[in-house]
Amino acid sequence: MEIIKSFLCLISFTVLLLFTVVVEANKAHHHEFIIQATKVKRLCETHNSITVNGMFPGPTLVVNNGDTLVVKVINRARYNITIHWHGVRQMRTGWADGPEFVTQCPIRPGSSYTYRFTIEGQEGTLWWHAHSSWLRATVYGSILILPPAGSSYPFPNPHRNVPLLLGEWWDANPVDVLRESQRTGAAPNISDAYTINGQPGNLYKCSSQDTTIVPINVGETILLRVINAALNQPLFFTVANHKFTVVGADASYLKPFTTNVVVLGPGQTTDVLITGDQPPNRYYMAARAYQSAQNAPFGNTTTTAILQYKSAPCCTNKGISVKPIMPLLPAYNDTNTVTRFSQSFRSLKRAEVPTEIDENLFVTVGLGLNNCPKNFRSRRCQGPNGTRFTASMNNVSFALPSNYSLLQAHHHNIPGVFTTDFPAKPPVKFDYTGSKISRSLYQPVRGTKLYKLKYGSRVQIVLQDTGIVTPENHPIHLHGYDFYILAEGFGNFNPKKDTAKFNLEDPPLRNTVGVPVNGWAVIRFVADNPGVWIMHCHLDAHISWGLAMAFLVEDGKGLLETMEEPPADLPVC
């Protein structure tokens, strides 16, 4: 009997020890984000910009896979705000996802809300940003997800991690830029500069002194965690005379491949290794626009940071700073480089791609033009030929509610907030990428239409660009999920021919896919996360025009397949 008691005691102690080790390994990180107006000077002008904790960009959050984040957001600014944790799966914690009027009502000025969520099964780089109006122009920061304690990267350990946030800067209040666009019906004014870690760099006025500098030693390898935080522009990124080894994207590992240039749509992240294997000098790191929409205005400037070898001479004999070496960048419309880059992506390991499909959607993505309402004056219809810009998926221009969030309406069974009749295919079949598209297809229907999915459904979506107004590369982001990108192509998707191109072995796992200009992309995922999840174009001009839809994923069976209850401090509308 004594032996049994001793054995049971030993087992209990071992279980307790293991539990303690797991608890210690999976930490909870507590942060406080104070949303406030801060004086920020760029391009010779000072603006009262909305920031987190007075920082632009905002704080970098460093966690391990398996850790929990608890972030109290206190709104001391004059605008409503929410924070979205871009790419975090939010398993059963949809209340913490953040998109305004989708999973929560906004945090009003003078109020607060605490986001609580665990990062599970994700490693690499994600980011956080405001998801209200255009506040994310200055309210954003990086999330670095390290391997669990005791684990390592699937590549040689870098000497250092360096987050590089590519952004856009307006020499104006970004909220006013959006409001003016909404008033006139025209496209919003383009930004005045691109930035790297909040700084435009040497090639802009009044910017040389604060240019971002990344130090490196000869022989050293650093992990650059590159994030496209720009509002409306896909970007090329490169470093003079250096090659990148791409090892991850959107917090998923990839089979390593080498490239001279990285392409990122807004919302996307890419992890690259770079080695100090060149003569000690100063080398520009540069980013500029990839512009796929014809005849659309865009910023054609270049933002720069400096990769500076620690042993490089800083100045000439006359005391003048050594001018960094400038890289060659692709042409603004170089779709071939974009295609080569995106087609190089392969998951590191064999992927668990669903091979049988329960829900097969065909979703058109594109712009539109609404005729000027009869009660509007001409100054409110400054789109092409006296129209107002709009956008849609499957001819539905998405309208957000204002009295409840979609998730609250679903959870509390509040009628009249949304319908569940989003179409699984376009209402009219046409030559999507043709040059002669009927003007009758330019005006979508406005509505708050969701698509209902049973828990565990295996979902395939064909995302098809259209030539309505103009074809364009659209970065489509799905909240609450990662998805496999099985294939991409140009023209109209043809199920008889194009399914042969599907990669079912090692497709990349991402949260944002660049749907090729005048082309298509096919994604798959399993609906294993209950809640309401918006899918939208991450060009913010297009979101405001309605280029979005949302999935309502029903609860499954039991606690682990059911959404958590809403937190007590969830903001009310």
Side-chain angles (χ1 to χ4, degrees):
M1 195 68 182
E2 288 299 320
I3 293 173
I4 293 173
K5 280 183 181 178
S6 299
F7 181 68
L8 289 173
C9 284
L10 181 62
I11 292 238
S12 301
F13 176 75
T14 305
V15 169
L16 182 64
L17 185 65
L18 284 172
F19 178 76
T20 305
V21 168
V22 169
V23 168
E24 284 182 358
N26 297 337
K27 297 176 185 173
H29 302 261
H30 293 259
H31 297 273
E32 192 171 82
F33 278 15
I34 297 174
I35 311 298
Q36 61 189 62
T38 303
K39 290 190 183 304
V40 179
K41 187 175 183 179
R42 297 291 185 276
L43 307 180
C44 315
E45 300 292 332
T46 300
H47 294 274
N48 266 332
S49 300
I50 305 303
T51 66
V52 169
N53 300 346
M55 300 167 63
F56 170 61
T60 296
L61 304 181
V62 182
V63 298
N64 292 89
N65 180 0
D67 287 355
T68 295
L69 273 167
V70 182
V71 185
K72 184 175 184 179
V73 177
I74 302 166
N75 188 1
R76 292 184 185 158
R78 61 191 175 109
Y79 302 110
N80 294 338
I81 198 163
T82 64
I83 301 292
H84 170 51
W85 315 93
H86 184 112
V88 174
R89 283 294 315 270
Q90 297 289 2
M91 297 301 292
R92 300 176 53 242
T93 53
W95 305 107
D97 189 43
E100 186 178 61
F101 294 117
V102 178
T103 59
Q104 68 169 95
C105 295
I107 306 168
R108 306 285 180 185
S111 299
S112 67
Y113 177 49
T114 300
Y115 294 90
R116 295 177 177 85
F117 55 91
T118 299
I119 293 174
E120 301 173 90
Q122 296 180 288
E123 292 177 24
T125 307
L126 297 176
W127 62 301
W128 57 266
H129 60 79
H131 215 295
S132 301
S133 182
W134 272 19
L135 291 174
R136 81 169 181 88
T138 53
V139 179
Y140 62 87
S142 54
I143 305 174
L144 312 188
I145 310 170
L146 308 177
S151 300
S152 59
Y153 298 110
F155 46 83
N157 215 36
H159 291 86
R160 209 163 57 258
N161 285 273
V162 180
L164 292 178
L165 291 134
L166 312 181
E168 284 185 272
W169 176 263
W170 275 261
D171 207 2
N173 181 342
V175 173
D176 292 341
V177 174
L178 174 62
R179 286 175 177 171
E180 176 71 2
S181 167
Q182 291 173 326
R183 187 183 66 79
T184 64
N189 290 340
I190 61 171
S191 60
D192 295 285
Y194 301 113
T195 59
I196 298 177
N197 288 353
Q199 296 294 341
N202 285 4
L203 306 184
Y204 295 91
K205 62 182 180 180
C206 305
S207 301
S208 295
Q209 186 177 346
D210 298 310
T211 296
T212 298
I213 293 177
V214 177
I216 192 168
N217 281 315
V218 172
E220 195 173 56
T221 297
I222 56 179
L223 179 60
L224 300 179
R225 297 169 176 264
V226 191
I227 301 163
N228 187 347
L231 262 72
N232 295 310
Q233 195 64 59
L235 295 166
F236 294 113
F237 173 75
T238 190
V239 178
N241 295 5
H242 289 72
K243 290 187 183 302
F244 300 128
T245 300
V246 179
V247 292
D250 292 1
S252 289
Y253 292 122
L254 297 168
K255 288 184 172 69
F257 67 94
T258 303
T259 180
N260 294 322
V261 64
V262 172
V263 188
L264 305 100
Q268 292 183 322
T269 76
T270 306
D271 292 349
V272 300
L273 296 170
I274 184 170
T275 299
D277 57 5
Q278 296 299 304
N281 210 325
R282 305 171 83 219
Y283 298 87
Y284 272 132
M285 318 173 92
R288 78 174 184 188
Y290 163 53
Q291 180 65 9
S292 60
Q294 291 185 350
N295 303 318
F298 70 99
N300 61 359
T301 56
T302 301
T303 180
T304 54
I306 298 171
L307 182 71
Q308 184 163 296
Y309 281 72
K310 293 177 183 176
S311 56
C314 72
C315 309
T316 64
N317 293 334
K318 296 180 180 178
I320 301 168
S321 292
V322 173
K323 189 176 180 181
I325 297 167
M326 191 70 189
L328 285 173
L329 279 150
Y332 298 112
N333 63 350
D334 189 351
T335 295
N336 288 338
T337 290
V338 175
T339 303
R340 277 195 304 274
F341 182 73
S342 65
Q343 290 183 349
S344 300
F345 281 50
R346 298 283 185 274
S347 282
L348 182 62
K349 297 178 181 177
R350 183 180 173 86
E352 296 178 7
V353 185
T355 51
E356 294 182 10
I357 300 302
D358 303 306
E359 299 279 357
N360 199 349
L361 286 80
F362 185 99
V363 179
T364 55
V365 296
L367 307 184
L369 297 171
N370 281 332
N371 292 334
C372 193
K374 290 180 181 178
N375 61 330
F376 277 28
R377 293 185 179 181
S378 59
R379 65 172 177 259
R380 296 206 61 193
C381 298
Q382 295 183 31
N385 302 314
T387 59
R388 290 177 61 86
F389 271 107
T390 184
S392 67
M393 290 186 171
N394 278 357
N395 204 46
V396 179
S397 185
F398 194 68
L400 286 169
S402 57
N403 295 326
Y404 301 95
S405 75
L406 296 173
L407 189 56
Q408 285 170 307
H410 163 58
H411 187 76
H412 298 294
N413 296 310
I414 300 167
V417 179
F418 63 83
T419 58
T420 54
D421 57 346
F422 180 84
K425 59 184 181 180
V428 177
K429 190 174 182 180
F430 61 99
D431 182 4
Y432 308 111
T433 55
S435 58
K436 296 179 180 179
I437 298 174
S438 169
R439 298 288 296 192
S440 65
L441 296 167
Y442 275 51
Q443 293 195 77
V445 176
R446 191 162 166 79
T448 312
K449 298 175 185 286
L450 277 56
Y451 192 91
K452 191 178 283 190
L453 293 172
K454 284 188 167 59
Y455 184 92
S457 296
R458 295 158 295 186
V459 185
Q460 175 174 292
I461 308 173
V462 177
L463 295 162
Q464 173 72 61
D465 184 32
T466 77
I468 297 176
V469 182
T470 180
E472 187 168 2
N473 181 296
H474 293 278
I476 301 299
H477 172 50
L478 175 59
H479 288 228
Y481 286 89
D482 288 325
F483 48 74
Y484 291 108
I485 304 174
L486 302 192
E488 299 170 3
F490 293 98
N492 300 334
F493 177 76
N494 183 336
K496 291 180 181 176
K497 292 193 309 183
D498 291 330
T499 49
K501 302 172 185 173
F502 287 5
N503 175 7
L504 300 175
E505 296 293 319
D506 57 357
L509 188 65
R510 305 208 67 171
N511 62 58
T512 305
V513 57
V515 178
V517 55
N518 255 330
W520 51 267
V522 180
I523 65 172
R524 282 187 193 175
F525 64 95
V526 176
D528 60 356
N529 194 11
V532 176
W533 307 105
I534 189 169
M535 183 172 75
H536 63 86
C537 180
H538 220 280
L539 304 178
D540 277 29
H542 295 181
I543 303 173
S544 62
W545 293 339
L547 216 172
M549 58 81 66
F551 290 104
L552 193 166
V553 181
E554 297 175 322
D555 285 337
K557 296 177 181 177
L559 185 67
L560 296 179
E561 295 181 2
T562 303
M563 261 203 68
E564 291 182 1
E565 288 296 308
D569 64 340
L570 187 73
V572 295
C573 287

